[in-house]
Amino acid sequence: MGISDLETLSNDEIAALPVDRRALLVLADAVQLDTWNWRNWCLGFSQNRPSPGLATAEAAIAEAWGWLISRTLISTKGGSYDFHDFHVTTAGREALERGLAYVQATIRLDVELVPSLERKVRPQFLLGDFELAAFAAMREVEIAVRDLGGLGTDLVGVPLMQNAFREGGPLHDPTVHPAESVAQMNLYAGAMGLFKNPASHRRVDYYDPSEASEVILLADLLLRILQRQRASSSS
């Protein structure tokens, strides 16, 4: 669906669209028309549309504008005292350029990450370097396991996780059920084997940025588990 397709949709079709998809169509149409006042855009939208279902479509369009504001894809226009004036933000321009999948992935990642991921990984992701962001996230897990376990740099990836969490290893917790210890070892080793090791040897393309965001969220979970384990051992 292209940027000019909004006017080709019926009122019912507009109302039936998911709000994020509908919002990007609205934003693209407003940019194409060089609109800077969303109230005027709404008036123009309603002017030539058929009456049946118009009220429902208008409510859906209003919801789309609200969604754009809440996601900071548009903002009030600097120097203007008219609430209806707006400009497209940097995030909004990125959304139009990269598409709905990118927007959905950034929303999925719109949570507080552990500090190392906030500093080193989120900026890469927002720049569209999905492969590097996912790889960097898993590398942070690898670094944290090595540091917490006091292990040398001769071990990387899966062998590092297996040595760290195996029975008698520096991160093995003898107080939990043996099956849980094995599961933890397999969780960390599997994450390295599937998401970090391949990117170390070849290009891994994340055609769906949501998949890259999920890898980052998995790394965030693994790092939080390590933080809890560090706090527990300290106490």
Side-chain angles (χ1 to χ4, degrees), residues 8-66:
T8 69
L9 298 176
S10 70
N11 291 331
D12 290 341
E13 287 172 331
I14 289 174
L17 284 174
V19 64
D20 51 0
R21 186 178 179 188
R22 187 192 321 139
L24 282 195
L25 285 176
V26 167
L27 181 60
D29 190 78
V31 169
Q32 186 181 51
L33 294 175
D34 197 24
T35 304
W36 49 268
N37 184 291
W38 66 266
R39 179 178 181 274
N40 291 343
W41 184 95
C42 289
L43 292 174
F45 167 83
S46 302
Q47 192 170 24
N48 298 315
R49 297 197 67 86
S51 297
L54 179 58
T56 302
E58 288 176 331
I61 289 297
E63 182 185 32
W65 281 105

Side-chain angles (χ1 to χ4, degrees), residues 8 27 40-41 48-49 76 92 125 143 150 161 186 188 192 195 211 230:
T8 69
L27 181 60
N40 291 343
W41 184 95
N48 298 315
R49 297 197 67 86
T76 53
F125 183 88
I143 292 171
M161 302 303 143
N186 290 338
Y188 280 80
M192 288 295 115
F195 298 119
E211 185 177 348
R230 178 185 284 114

Side-chain angles (χ1 to χ4, degrees), residues 84-120:
H84 301 106
D85 290 354
F86 75 94
H87 80 280
V88 182
T89 63
T90 301
R93 290 192 294 271
E94 286 288 329
L96 290 176
E97 180 181 345
R98 299 184 185 277
L100 182 59
Y102 172 80
V103 176
Q104 292 171 334
T106 56
I107 291 172
R108 191 183 298 262
L109 204 58
D110 188 20
V111 295
E112 182 182 0
L113 301 173
V114 298
S116 61
L117 300 186
E118 285 286 356
R119 292 193 310 270
K120 302 176 183 180

Side-chain angles (χ1 to χ4, degrees), residues 94 98 102 122-130:
E94 286 288 329
R98 299 184 185 277
Y102 172 80
R122 190 188 295 278
Q124 284 184 309
F125 183 88
L126 293 177
L127 288 172
D129 294 332
F130 306 126

